[in-house]
Every structure is written in C-alpha cells, then in structure tokens.
Amino acid sequence: MKKLGLLRHAKSDWDDSDKRDFDRGLNDRGRRGGGLMGRYIRENGPEFDLLLASPAERVKATLAAAQLGLEPVFDQRLYLASAETIIDVVSEQAGDADAVLVAAHNPGLQDVLLSLVAPDRENAHFDEAVVKYPTASFALLDLPIDDWGALGGQDGAIADFRRPRDLDPELGPVD
C-alpha cells in the first residue's frame, strides 16, 4: 500500500501585477492557511518520505508556512502540470518511498484525484474534493500498489480531504 498526498498551494497574492504568475507569493490569508494546513498534515498525515514540489514562488511560500520538515525536490514539470504529468513525475521520482507528498497547482491536483480514485471507492471525502479543491487543500490517497511505476490505475481511495475552512471557518469563502 502506498500513500499519495496532494497539497495545493495556498492563496496567492494578486496585488503586484508586475510579477509573472510563476513569481507570485502568498497573501496574508494564504500564509495563515498554509501554516494551518501544515500543522494539520504534521499532526494527522502519514510521515511522508518524499516531497515533490512545483518551483513556483507560491508553492515555495506555502511549504515555508507549512513547516513540514521535509526538504522539497523541486521539479519544473509540476508547475501548472496536468494530472498525467504529475503521475509521471511521481512514478519517476518516488523510488522506494511509501508515502509521497506533491505540492503543486490546480486543476492538475484535482484531476489526479479524479483519475486515481475507483468509482466503487468514492466516499464523502471524494464528494467534497470533486466539488472544489480550494487553495491550501490537502488530500490523502491510499493506493493498493507496491511500486510507484504502477501508479495511474483507477484503484485508489481518498483517506482524507481537508480545506483551510474545515480547520478555521474564517478561512472560508468570502461573500
């Protein structure tokens, strides 16, 4: 059994219009959400063996706020990656890790979840994640595989799904 965590970057800062998308950091809400989600992952998630991450500034800032205690392996291919690319990167880089965390962007992360969860293993977590995968959200998938090279089949289940607003209602949608 392998575990795959999917962490979307926290709320980015759109105030500086001179910055490229890749270079945008986080706003105050994003820093709060990233820190809160990091604490949740540390306290409730598995001990991840490997952290694969997009090198975008907002992902780096999310990881800094989360303080997960893992040194990220940055891979340019994870910047705005499709589900197929994310699965390829994990398959190529996970090696003998039992639990891998990917920190990246949507819609790729949500699409990974949709492509790896078996229809007969859908649950309440899946139902929530399908509706929306907001910034700083975290999903944990249980995958009945022995080798990351087998990643890609629709045979997984979502063990956990958390949004910042699940941990602090003030981080919910702004009306």
Side-chain angles (χ1 to χ4, degrees):
M1 178 73 70
K2 301 287 186 184
K3 295 194 177 288
L4 178 63
L6 304 172
L7 175 63
R8 184 176 175 198
H9 66 79
K11 195 75 147 161
S12 59
D13 186 2
W14 287 89
D15 287 344
D16 191 348
S17 60
D18 291 339
K19 288 191 176 179
R20 299 180 308 150
D21 176 73
F22 186 85
D23 297 325
R24 278 188 292 118
L26 301 181
N27 63 19
D28 290 339
R29 203 174 145 110
R31 285 186 288 280
R32 275 184 51 212
L36 190 64
M37 195 56 62
R39 186 172 71 235
Y40 178 82
I41 293 168
R42 288 190 312 273
E43 293 174 357
N44 300 282
E47 187 171 325
F48 288 103
D49 305 306
L50 177 64
L51 169 56
L52 299 171
S54 161
E57 184 57 36
R58 60 190 177 276
V59 174
K60 290 179 178 180
T62 299
L63 296 174
Q67 300 179 10
L68 296 173
L70 276 172
E71 192 65 35
V73 175
F74 294 107
D75 191 312
Q76 182 64 38
R77 295 175 294 171
L78 292 174
Y79 175 62
L80 303 180
S82 67
E84 294 79 16
T85 299
I86 293 169
I87 289 169
D88 287 347
V89 169
V90 173
S91 295
E92 291 170 17
Q93 295 202 26
D96 61 358
D98 289 320
V100 175
L101 178 62
V102 176
H105 313 266
N106 240 14
L109 291 177
Q110 185 177 33
D111 290 345
V112 165
L113 188 141
L114 295 173
S115 68
L116 295 181
V117 173
D120 64 339
R121 299 186 80 190
E122 293 175 7
N123 56 25
H125 293 308
F126 180 87
D127 294 343
E128 289 293 325
V130 167
V131 172
K132 190 167 184 192
Y133 203 103
T135 53
S137 290
F138 168 72
L140 181 64
L141 282 70
D142 288 333
L143 303 164
I145 58 174
D146 294 323
D147 184 273
W148 290 106
L151 185 63
Q154 197 174 30
D155 51 10
I158 300 181
D160 195 3
F161 178 68
R162 291 289 180 266
R163 302 162 294 200
R165 70 176 179 217
D166 298 329
L167 307 174
D168 181 351
E170 289 184 15
L171 292 173
V174 179
D175 294 332

